[in-house]
Amino acid sequence: MNMQRNPIRKIWTEGRGAINGWLSIASPFSAEIMASCGYDSVTIDTQHGAVGYETMLLMLQALRASGVAPMVRAPWLEPGAIMKALDAGAWGVICPMVNTRADAERLVSYVRYPPHGCRSFGPTRANFALGSDYAAVADDEVLCFAMIETAEAVSNLEEIVRTPGLDGVYVGPADLTLGLTGRRYRTGFDREEPEMLEAIHHIRKTAHAAGLRMGLHNGSAAYAAKALSWGCDLVTVSNDVRLLAQAAQDSVAEVRRLIASPSAPEKEGPIRHEVPASY
């Protein structure tokens, strides 16, 4: 089987931005559910997510049937973790805390095979999940994102985006806000402060001027849509933890609202549910 082409790159060639899901829960089943919800890509978070390598591998397998592009956020700028994620079948890697051109060069070297990098050859699962000619075309298809999330990274941005082999930068607004403003503002996503909007736009424009893509992590669908209208190339919409928590909270709150309402139906005794014998 020849290697598939990266679905995210295809979306970009069509002039569209990619909508990305985010997995922090260590569960192949929840990964499978998220992948069926219409995302273009889904990223497994091995930095802040509760996910280790063995479960990450199972989650990558669970994502395959949906056709979404699986990516992994590496725990750190560490060659072993990055190479293992790629060997397991990730279409791309998002690496945190890339602060200098030297950091970006190291990242690229871990993602690309010689002569463009130092990635060790051993695509154990990628050969089966992505294609038997993986080695021949991986460097052209696998995505390499450097996270820009500190004041140091912003100050070195012009040099970072000129790193050969780097495909894009990915903005983590929570850390970026802490790095640029300290504790002046709330932590989190969906920034509206003028200086933070200016920083995000500066990163986007600088990346695009260098021919790179720009990704942004968002807390809400509305902000993600706004980011796409700005020209962001990949937008992450919340994550599985927040989506589950919000849906559960909304459901419980709605039940409590209904039973507290004067128009709530009168009680007619306990409701009995029939449980199938197979359970």
Side-chain angles (χ1 to χ4, degrees), residues 162-186:
R162 291 192 178 94
T163 304
L166 188 66
D167 292 300
V169 295
Y170 186 93
V171 175
D175 275 323
L176 185 63
T177 302
L178 287 171
L180 293 180
T181 69
R183 289 285 186 173
R184 194 184 321 160
Y185 303 118
R186 65 170 178 84

Side-chain angles (χ1 to χ4, degrees), residues 95-123:
C95 184
M97 295 293 174
V98 175
N99 294 317
T100 65
R101 168 68 177 261
D103 287 347
E105 289 174 346
R106 287 168 55 206
L107 169 60
V108 170
S109 76
Y110 303 155
V111 173
R112 310 299 179 200
Y113 289 120
H116 306 296
C118 64
R119 180 182 171 190
S120 176
F121 183 73

Side-chain angles (χ1 to χ4, degrees), residues 2-278:
N2 289 334
M3 184 175 177
Q4 308 162 37
R5 294 302 176 252
N6 192 320
I8 302 173
R9 291 189 184 275
K10 183 176 184 295
I11 287 169
W12 290 341
T13 62
E14 296 169 352
R16 300 186 289 119
I19 301 173
N20 183 54
W22 200 263
L23 304 177
S24 296
I25 299 172
S27 167
F29 185 32
S30 64
E32 187 177 34
I33 293 169
M34 286 283 285
S36 71
C37 291
Y39 297 102
D40 298 310
S41 59
V42 175
T43 299
I44 301 170
D45 185 2
T46 64
Q47 183 194 18
H48 293 304
V51 184
Y53 174 78
E54 286 77 10
T55 305
M56 178 200 75
L57 176 60
L58 296 175
M59 292 167 72
L60 287 168
Q61 292 175 308
L63 293 175
R64 185 180 182 187
S66 68
V68 302
M71 297 200 294
V72 171
R73 175 159 72 169
W76 208 251
L77 181 56
E78 193 277 314
I82 291 171
M83 293 182 197
K84 283 177 74 68
L86 294 175
D87 290 345
W91 269 123
V93 169
I94 300 172
C95 184
M97 295 293 174
V98 175
N99 294 317
T100 65
R101 168 68 177 261
D103 287 347
E105 289 174 346
R106 287 168 55 206
L107 169 60
V108 170
S109 76
Y110 303 155
V111 173
R112 310 299 179 200
Y113 289 120
H116 306 296
C118 64
R119 180 182 171 190
S120 176
F121 183 73
T124 308
R125 177 174 177 270
N127 262 339
F128 298 96
L130 302 181
S132 57
D133 62 338
Y134 178 86
V137 294
D139 282 353
D140 296 325
E141 295 295 331
V142 169
L143 290 170
C144 181
F145 277 96
M147 291 196 72
I148 304 298
E149 47 189 345
T150 66
E152 183 182 9
V154 173
S155 68
N156 291 320
L157 184 62
E158 295 279 357
E159 291 300 314
I160 291 173
V161 298
R162 291 192 178 94
T163 304
L166 188 66
D167 292 300
V169 295
Y170 186 93
V171 175
D175 275 323
L176 185 63
T177 302
L178 287 171
L180 293 180
T181 69
R183 289 285 186 173
R184 194 184 321 160
Y185 303 118
R186 65 170 178 84
T187 56
F189 310 124
D190 297 2
R191 310 313 309 188
E192 296 291 355
E193 303 84 8
E195 60 265 57
M196 292 310 304
L197 288 172
E198 181 181 353
I200 291 169
H201 288 306
H202 169 64
I203 294 169
R204 175 180 54 80
K205 292 175 182 177
T206 304
H208 286 171
L212 268 60
R213 303 292 180 168
M214 189 268 210
L216 180 67
H217 208 106
N218 306 271
S220 67
Y223 202 94
K226 182 163 61 174
L228 287 171
S229 74
W230 295 336
C232 291
D233 302 288
L234 182 141
V235 293
T236 298
V237 188
S238 193
N239 68 11
D240 53 358
V241 172
R242 289 171 179 266
L243 292 169
L244 174 61
Q246 190 62 60
Q249 290 167 7
D250 289 348
S251 178
V252 172
E254 178 67 2
V255 172
R256 295 193 185 283
R257 184 190 69 79
L258 291 171
I259 63 177
S261 171
S263 60
E266 294 183 5
K267 296 180 180 179
E268 298 181 355
I271 299 175
R272 302 186 184 279
H273 297 282
E274 294 295 329
V275 180
S278 60

